[in-house]
Amino acid sequence: MAKKEHVSETPATQFLRKHAVAFSEHPYEYEEHGGTAVSSSALGVPEHDVVKTLVMQDEAAKPLIVLMHGDCKVSTKNLARAIPCKSVEPCKPDVAQRHSGYLVGGTSPFGIRKAMPVYVEESILALDKIYINGGRRGYLVGIDPKVLVDVLKARPVQCALAE
């Protein structure tokens, strides 16, 4: 049997353990700008089940997190309507890192530096299991999507666009 690769703690895994959330660890070979296509392929799971954590901001530059299927994009127009605000746009990588405390490509919604509202694409909650960043590039955790609402208090929204 293959030896399980040890992954050191991250703020995300500390958060999950503190909240007694069951999770599985899935390290993979990180590829710069590879996105969820690389991680889903490495893990052998549908890209739709890999959830990306996106740090965005509203028109007042207030940060927020959007959780989206790996194979979808966020309709910023639909998101702005749903949350309600005038506009939403992605944060620049250095700004996103400052808000979350994570490097872009390793952003997790768990254990973030700054409290910010979390929105989740509603259809994610219908999946049996999701794979979401565990707080480091090349490292996903497998969890029950209900954790997003129960522990993070994520608000369901409909803002997915097929890639």
Side-chain angles (χ1 to χ4, degrees), residues 15 110 116-120 146-156:
F15 177 94
F110 306 110
M116 48 187 133
V118 179
Y119 299 95
V120 58
K146 290 177 195 67
V147 167
L148 302 174
V149 174
D150 297 345
V151 179
L152 283 183
K153 306 295 181 233
R155 208 171 104 201

Side-chain angles (χ1 to χ4, degrees), residues 66-126:
V66 182
L67 304 175
M68 182 55 68
H69 295 285
D71 59 355
C72 296
K73 287 197 292 208
V74 174
S75 163
T76 53
K77 213 179 260 172
N78 291 348
L79 178 62
R81 248 184 243 123
I83 66 178
C85 67
K86 283 192 183 96
S87 66
V88 177
E89 63 181 11
C91 286
K92 290 188 173 21
D94 60 322
V95 175
Q97 186 176 334
R98 212 169 38 246
H99 289 316
S100 69
Y102 293 112
L103 283 174
V104 171
T107 306
S108 176
F110 306 110
I112 53 176
R113 178 178 290 157
K114 218 185 224 183
M116 48 187 133
V118 179
Y119 299 95
V120 58
E121 171 55 39
E122 195 171 56
S123 54
I124 289 171
L125 302 173

